């Protein structure tokens, strides 16, 4: 039967209540994490299991050669992990002037930084995991061995990138096995991934950076005139960091900074704190206008940072108040927004009955990333290096060992020093925009997490247009037009307005549990027991 995989009817999802839970944008990943929780693993074990499975089952956004970041509540304190990629030591401005006329390419080996996700999994497990690393990776290894059926949302993104990436080394061989992208429901096995995951499991992750996998990566790089070395891989290490917070309506949103786009969400909330946002209904043009204008200014600030400037510099109360005064409640500002590059990621959330909560994001940077796939490994490599600048005065100017801006944006909400919600919204510069829209719905209007997930969204894009989802009420759209916003209604059902995974703590996890929500814009699933 040749089904039409598009659903013409609005879906109605219900929140999920449980004491152990995983929410992910790919159902097999959520179930893999839940399986580990059922076997006695903790939330970190479950998050790693889900992340490793999702690296296989949602390859158009992440993979074994991705980067990852996480925020973890361990039961008593918050930890931040930055496992974004570092530039090979030989990268510098002269290197790109000689090879690429001063550009940082978007595809190919010269867009690949040292992949961080495997090291990130290992670091999370060593510090906070409970089960053995091999047991945690067992579900992913099974999917790597037997394959999986390609889901509709994944297939759509896969097909959209195939023509551009087909020439890249290894891409067609691995991701176009029949000379085309897989169809919806078609069985797919990523060649070499099972053997690679087994080596990673047996070595606690070190094989990827020192063993057989590392040697294969470097040999392939050098065969294609790239400069990645064994020393680049061996010397790579994730960074444990202290998340940066911004208070809003008695809660504190935490992000990893610098490096990610999360600072824009913090800035926007800091400006909105100066308004009575709830004075009108949430689905009113005045309300959405305030959010849009705050987001424009926040993106402009985030994009205009200077070398040496810290997140705390931007988040000073006086600066936020000054920026808030620039918002005209009746008229849209022109040219106030930034121009963040297109990027993508997956995010997931995992929690357990003992109170551990994890928000994890994993990213190839742009879809499949560089398009490079290393033969015999199943490792598709991100193009995080495209986040560098070739401008010597830019804070993201390329340099060996440096980490560029990245698209992995986990988020965590606290109140009075206690954990409230692990969550995330993916989609490049949609990430902070989606977070702000959802948080305002929950914190200002009391909407439950699934409703905040499902509500129609807008996306301020490229500093000029406001893309809006089809579900946005005509009265809101007309009101925004009247205030001077340049609206562009989304015509493509695959247009990315973010996909969110939210788990909110209800009280004592062992007694009251959590409520979870997963976004239907992809193939999301929140499940628990």
């Amino acid at each position: 039967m040749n089904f039409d995989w598009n659903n013409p009817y609005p879906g109605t999802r219900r929140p999920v209540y449980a004491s152990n839970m995983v929410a992910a944008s790919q159902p097999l990943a959520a179930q893999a994490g839940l399986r580990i929780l059922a076997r006695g693993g903790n939330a970190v074990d479950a998050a790693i299991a889900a992340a490793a499975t999702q690296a296989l089952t949602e390859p158009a956004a992440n993979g074994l050669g991705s980067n990852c970041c996480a925020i973890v509540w361990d039961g008593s304190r918050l930890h931040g992990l930055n496992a974004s990629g570092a530039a090979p030591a030989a990268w510098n401005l002269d290197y790109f002037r000689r090879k690429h006329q001063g550009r940082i390419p978007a595809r190919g080996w010269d867009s690949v930084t040292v992949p961080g996700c495997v090291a990130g999994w290992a670091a999370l497990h060593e510090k906070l995991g409970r089960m053995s690393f091999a047991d945690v990776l067992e579900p992913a290894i099974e999917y790597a061995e037997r394959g999986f059926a390609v889901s509709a949302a994944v297939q759509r993104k896969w097909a959209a990138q195939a023509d551009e990436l087909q020439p890249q080394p290894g891409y067609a061989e691995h991701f176009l096995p029949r000379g085309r992208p897989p169809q919806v429901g078609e069985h797919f096995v990523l060649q070499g991934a099972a053997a690679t995951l087994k080596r990673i499991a047996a070595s606690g992750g070190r094989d990827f950076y020192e063993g057989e996998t590392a040697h294969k990566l470097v040999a392939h790089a050098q065969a294609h005139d790239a400069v990645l070395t064994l020393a680049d891989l061996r010397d790579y290490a994730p960074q444990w960091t202290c998340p940066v917070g911004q208070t809003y309506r008695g809660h504190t949103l935490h992000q990893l900074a610098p490096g990610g786009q999360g600072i824009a969400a913090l800035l926007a909330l800091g400006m909105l704190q100066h308004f009575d946002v709830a004075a009108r209904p949430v689905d009113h043009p005045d309300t959405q206008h305030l959010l849009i204008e705050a987001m424009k200014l926040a993106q402009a600030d985030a994009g205009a940072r200077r070398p040496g400037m810290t997140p705390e510099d931007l988040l000073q109360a006086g600066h936020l108040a000054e920026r808030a005064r620039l918002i005209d409640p009746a008229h849209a500002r022109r040219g106030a927004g930034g121009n963040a590059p297109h990027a993508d990621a997956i995010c997931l959330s995992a929690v357990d009955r003992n109170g551990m909560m994890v928000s994890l994001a994993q990213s190839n940077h742009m879809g499949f990333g560089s398009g490079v796939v290393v033969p015999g490994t199943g490792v598709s490599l991100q193009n995080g290096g495209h986040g560098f600048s070739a401008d010597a005065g830019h804070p993201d100017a390329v340099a060996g060992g440096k980490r560029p801006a990245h698209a992995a944006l986990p988020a965590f909400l606290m109140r009075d020093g206690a954990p409230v919600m692990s969550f995330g919204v993916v989609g490049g510069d949609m990430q902070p925009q989606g977070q702000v829209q959802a948080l305002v719905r929950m914190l200002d209007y009391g909407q439950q997490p699934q409703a905040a997930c499902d509500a129609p969204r807008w996306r301020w894009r490229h500093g000029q247009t406001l893309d809006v989802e089809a579900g946005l009420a005509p009265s809101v759209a007309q009101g925004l037009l009247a205030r001077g916003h340049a609206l562009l209604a989304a015509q493509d059902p695959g247009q990315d307005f973010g996909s969110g995974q939210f788990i909110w703590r209800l009280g004592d996890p062992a007694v009251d549990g959590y409520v979870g929500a997963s976004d239907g814009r992809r193939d999301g699933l929140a499940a628990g027991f």
Side-chain angles (χ1 to χ4, degrees), residues 407-420:
L409 198 65
F412 206 96
L413 192 69
M414 304 274 287
R415 183 181 178 91
D416 298 329
V420 173

PDB file of all heavy atoms in Angstrom, residues 407-420:
ATOM      1  N   ALA A 407      25.465  24.436  17.320  1.00  0.00           N
ATOM      2  CA  ALA A 407      24.005  24.389  17.258  1.00  0.00           C
ATOM      3  C   ALA A 407      23.396  23.455  18.294  1.00  0.00           C
ATOM      4  O   ALA A 407      22.205  23.162  18.232  1.00  0.00           O
ATOM      5  CB  ALA A 407      23.574  23.945  15.859  1.00  0.00           C
ATOM      6  N   ALA A 408      24.195  22.957  19.228  1.00  0.00           N
ATOM      7  CA  ALA A 408      23.676  22.048  20.265  1.00  0.00           C
ATOM      8  C   ALA A 408      23.295  22.872  21.486  1.00  0.00           C
ATOM      9  O   ALA A 408      24.163  23.428  22.158  1.00  0.00           O
ATOM     10  CB  ALA A 408      24.720  21.002  20.639  1.00  0.00           C
ATOM     11  N   LEU A 409      21.998  22.954  21.787  1.00  0.00           N
ATOM     12  CA  LEU A 409      21.510  23.921  22.766  1.00  0.00           C
ATOM     13  C   LEU A 409      20.593  23.269  23.802  1.00  0.00           C
ATOM     14  O   LEU A 409      19.373  23.444  23.750  1.00  0.00           O
ATOM     15  CB  LEU A 409      20.771  25.035  22.035  1.00  0.00           C
ATOM     16  CG  LEU A 409      20.550  26.342  22.804  1.00  0.00           C
ATOM     17  CD1 LEU A 409      21.867  27.023  23.099  1.00  0.00           C
ATOM     18  CD2 LEU A 409      19.667  27.279  21.986  1.00  0.00           C
ATOM     19  N   PRO A 410      21.138  22.522  24.768  1.00  0.00           N
ATOM     20  CA  PRO A 410      20.290  22.029  25.852  1.00  0.00           C
ATOM     21  C   PRO A 410      19.859  23.182  26.753  1.00  0.00           C
ATOM     22  O   PRO A 410      20.522  24.224  26.805  1.00  0.00           O
ATOM     23  CB  PRO A 410      21.214  21.062  26.599  1.00  0.00           C
ATOM     24  CG  PRO A 410      22.586  21.628  26.384  1.00  0.00           C
ATOM     25  CD  PRO A 410      22.552  22.211  24.988  1.00  0.00           C
ATOM     26  N   ALA A 411      18.756  23.003  27.454  1.00  0.00           N
ATOM     27  CA  ALA A 411      18.259  24.059  28.336  1.00  0.00           C
ATOM     28  C   ALA A 411      17.713  23.437  29.616  1.00  0.00           C
ATOM     29  O   ALA A 411      17.279  22.280  29.626  1.00  0.00           O
ATOM     30  CB  ALA A 411      17.175  24.877  27.636  1.00  0.00           C
ATOM     31  N   PHE A 412      17.724  24.235  30.685  1.00  0.00           N
ATOM     32  CA  PHE A 412      17.279  23.732  31.984  1.00  0.00           C
ATOM     33  C   PHE A 412      16.644  24.876  32.769  1.00  0.00           C
ATOM     34  O   PHE A 412      17.183  25.991  32.789  1.00  0.00           O
ATOM     35  CB  PHE A 412      18.454  23.154  32.773  1.00  0.00           C
ATOM     36  CG  PHE A 412      18.062  22.111  33.772  1.00  0.00           C
ATOM     37  CD1 PHE A 412      18.137  20.770  33.459  1.00  0.00           C
ATOM     38  CD2 PHE A 412      17.597  22.472  35.030  1.00  0.00           C
ATOM     39  CE1 PHE A 412      17.765  19.791  34.373  1.00  0.00           C
ATOM     40  CE2 PHE A 412      17.224  21.510  35.950  1.00  0.00           C
ATOM     41  CZ  PHE A 412      17.301  20.166  35.619  1.00  0.00           C
ATOM     42  N   LEU A 413      15.518  24.585  33.408  1.00  0.00           N
ATOM     43  CA  LEU A 413      14.789  25.592  34.175  1.00  0.00           C
ATOM     44  C   LEU A 413      14.836  25.249  35.656  1.00  0.00           C
ATOM     45  O   LEU A 413      14.604  24.099  36.045  1.00  0.00           O
ATOM     46  CB  LEU A 413      13.331  25.653  33.697  1.00  0.00           C
ATOM     47  CG  LEU A 413      12.499  26.845  34.185  1.00  0.00           C
ATOM     48  CD1 LEU A 413      13.006  28.143  33.552  1.00  0.00           C
ATOM     49  CD2 LEU A 413      11.020  26.634  33.844  1.00  0.00           C
ATOM     50  N   MET A 414      15.137  26.257  36.476  1.00  0.00           N
ATOM     51  CA  MET A 414      15.214  26.092  37.930  1.00  0.00           C
ATOM     52  C   MET A 414      14.270  27.095  38.599  1.00  0.00           C
ATOM     53  O   MET A 414      13.870  28.100  38.002  1.00  0.00           O
ATOM     54  CB  MET A 414      16.638  26.348  38.422  1.00  0.00           C
ATOM     55  CG  MET A 414      17.708  25.506  37.766  1.00  0.00           C
ATOM     56  SD  MET A 414      17.939  23.913  38.551  1.00  0.00           S
ATOM     57  CE  MET A 414      18.764  24.393  40.075  1.00  0.00           C
ATOM     58  N   ARG A 415      13.962  26.844  39.874  1.00  0.00           N
ATOM     59  CA  ARG A 415      13.225  27.805  40.689  1.00  0.00           C
ATOM     60  C   ARG A 415      13.718  27.688  42.131  1.00  0.00           C
ATOM     61  O   ARG A 415      13.693  26.601  42.708  1.00  0.00           O
ATOM     62  CB  ARG A 415      11.717  27.560  40.629  1.00  0.00           C
ATOM     63  CG  ARG A 415      10.911  28.598  41.427  1.00  0.00           C
ATOM     64  CD  ARG A 415       9.415  28.315  41.372  1.00  0.00           C
ATOM     65  NE  ARG A 415       8.662  29.278  42.175  1.00  0.00           N
ATOM     66  CZ  ARG A 415       8.165  30.425  41.726  1.00  0.00           C
ATOM     67  NH1 ARG A 415       8.331  30.753  40.453  1.00  0.00           N
ATOM     68  NH2 ARG A 415       7.495  31.241  42.515  1.00  0.00           N
ATOM     69  N   ASP A 416      14.192  28.796  42.690  1.00  0.00           N
ATOM     70  CA  ASP A 416      14.691  28.828  44.068  1.00  0.00           C
ATOM     71  C   ASP A 416      15.726  27.743  44.313  1.00  0.00           C
ATOM     72  O   ASP A 416      15.736  27.069  45.356  1.00  0.00           O
ATOM     73  CB  ASP A 416      13.531  28.670  45.056  1.00  0.00           C
ATOM     74  CG  ASP A 416      12.517  29.801  44.955  1.00  0.00           C
ATOM     75  OD1 ASP A 416      12.926  30.927  44.619  1.00  0.00           O
ATOM     76  OD2 ASP A 416      11.327  29.545  45.191  1.00  0.00           O
ATOM     77  N   GLY A 417      16.601  27.525  43.332  1.00  0.00           N
ATOM     78  CA  GLY A 417      17.682  26.560  43.474  1.00  0.00           C
ATOM     79  C   GLY A 417      17.281  25.115  43.283  1.00  0.00           C
ATOM     80  O   GLY A 417      18.119  24.215  43.451  1.00  0.00           O
ATOM     81  N   ALA A 418      16.029  24.855  42.935  1.00  0.00           N
ATOM     82  CA  ALA A 418      15.545  23.495  42.738  1.00  0.00           C
ATOM     83  C   ALA A 418      15.238  23.258  41.262  1.00  0.00           C
ATOM     84  O   ALA A 418      14.822  24.175  40.550  1.00  0.00           O
ATOM     85  CB  ALA A 418      14.293  23.243  43.574  1.00  0.00           C
ATOM     86  N   PRO A 419      15.403  22.027  40.769  1.00  0.00           N
ATOM     87  CA  PRO A 419      15.151  21.747  39.356  1.00  0.00           C
ATOM     88  C   PRO A 419      13.667  21.780  39.029  1.00  0.00           C
ATOM     89  O   PRO A 419      12.828  21.354  39.829  1.00  0.00           O
ATOM     90  CB  PRO A 419      15.722  20.336  39.174  1.00  0.00           C
ATOM     91  CG  PRO A 419      15.562  19.709  40.519  1.00  0.00           C
ATOM     92  CD  PRO A 419      15.810  20.816  41.511  1.00  0.00           C
ATOM     93  N   VAL A 420      13.334  22.284  37.862  1.00  0.00           N
ATOM     94  CA  VAL A 420      11.947  22.355  37.416  1.00  0.00           C
ATOM     95  C   VAL A 420      11.751  21.607  36.099  1.00  0.00           C
ATOM     96  O   VAL A 420      10.862  20.771  35.984  1.00  0.00           O
ATOM     97  CB  VAL A 420      11.489  23.818  37.253  1.00  0.00           C
ATOM     98  CG1 VAL A 420      10.100  23.891  36.617  1.00  0.00           C
ATOM     99  CG2 VAL A 420      11.494  24.533  38.599  1.00  0.00           C
TER     100      VAL A 420
END
